[in-house]
Amino acid sequence: MQTNEDNVVFRVDEASDLPIWAQLRNRFSYLIRTGVLKPGEQLPSVRGLAADAKINYNTVTKAYRDLELSGLIVSVRGRGMFVQRDVSPDESEEDAIDALLENCIRQYRSKGMTYRETRDRMLSVIDDMERKSREAEEEKRDYGIS
């Protein structure tokens, strides 16, 4: 896991309702399906990722197990976890999410908002979500949990 803020493989979203293992699974699934992680590429070790992300070892194990059951990664005894060689980038999940986003845009437009106003509104929502996530991280640090 890299330390550069833009290249972090995984960061817990404290404001999310999803359990941490599901957040981790979804992140790796996204990285694999979009081709960021290539077929045959090794994933971070369970212990290393747990330490870097400051999450429980069992949480990483559960996420990796789910990815393996989904056919996205394979465990090689004594060597680690690797992206399956026959996984091809799949944009169907992103296409479904894009369709939801387009529907939201159409709903804003039907209220009389311009594309610019819609974009500003959506960016405001994103900024608010990001701010809440940062605040949750800071609160966690204040309690010495990080």
Side-chain angles (χ1 to χ4, degrees), residues 32 43 64-65 67-68 71-75 81-84:
I32 291 167
L43 274 62
Y64 276 11
R65 187 178 326 118
L67 288 164
E68 189 172 18
L72 293 174
I73 66 173
V74 61
S75 174
M81 303 300 273
F82 295 83
V83 177
Q84 278 280 17

Side-chain angles (χ1 to χ4, degrees), residues 14-29:
E14 296 293 338
S16 175
D17 292 338
L18 279 178
I20 295 171
W21 74 268
Q23 292 180 41
L24 182 60
R25 177 207 54 213
N26 291 350
R27 177 65 176 156
F28 274 103
S29 177

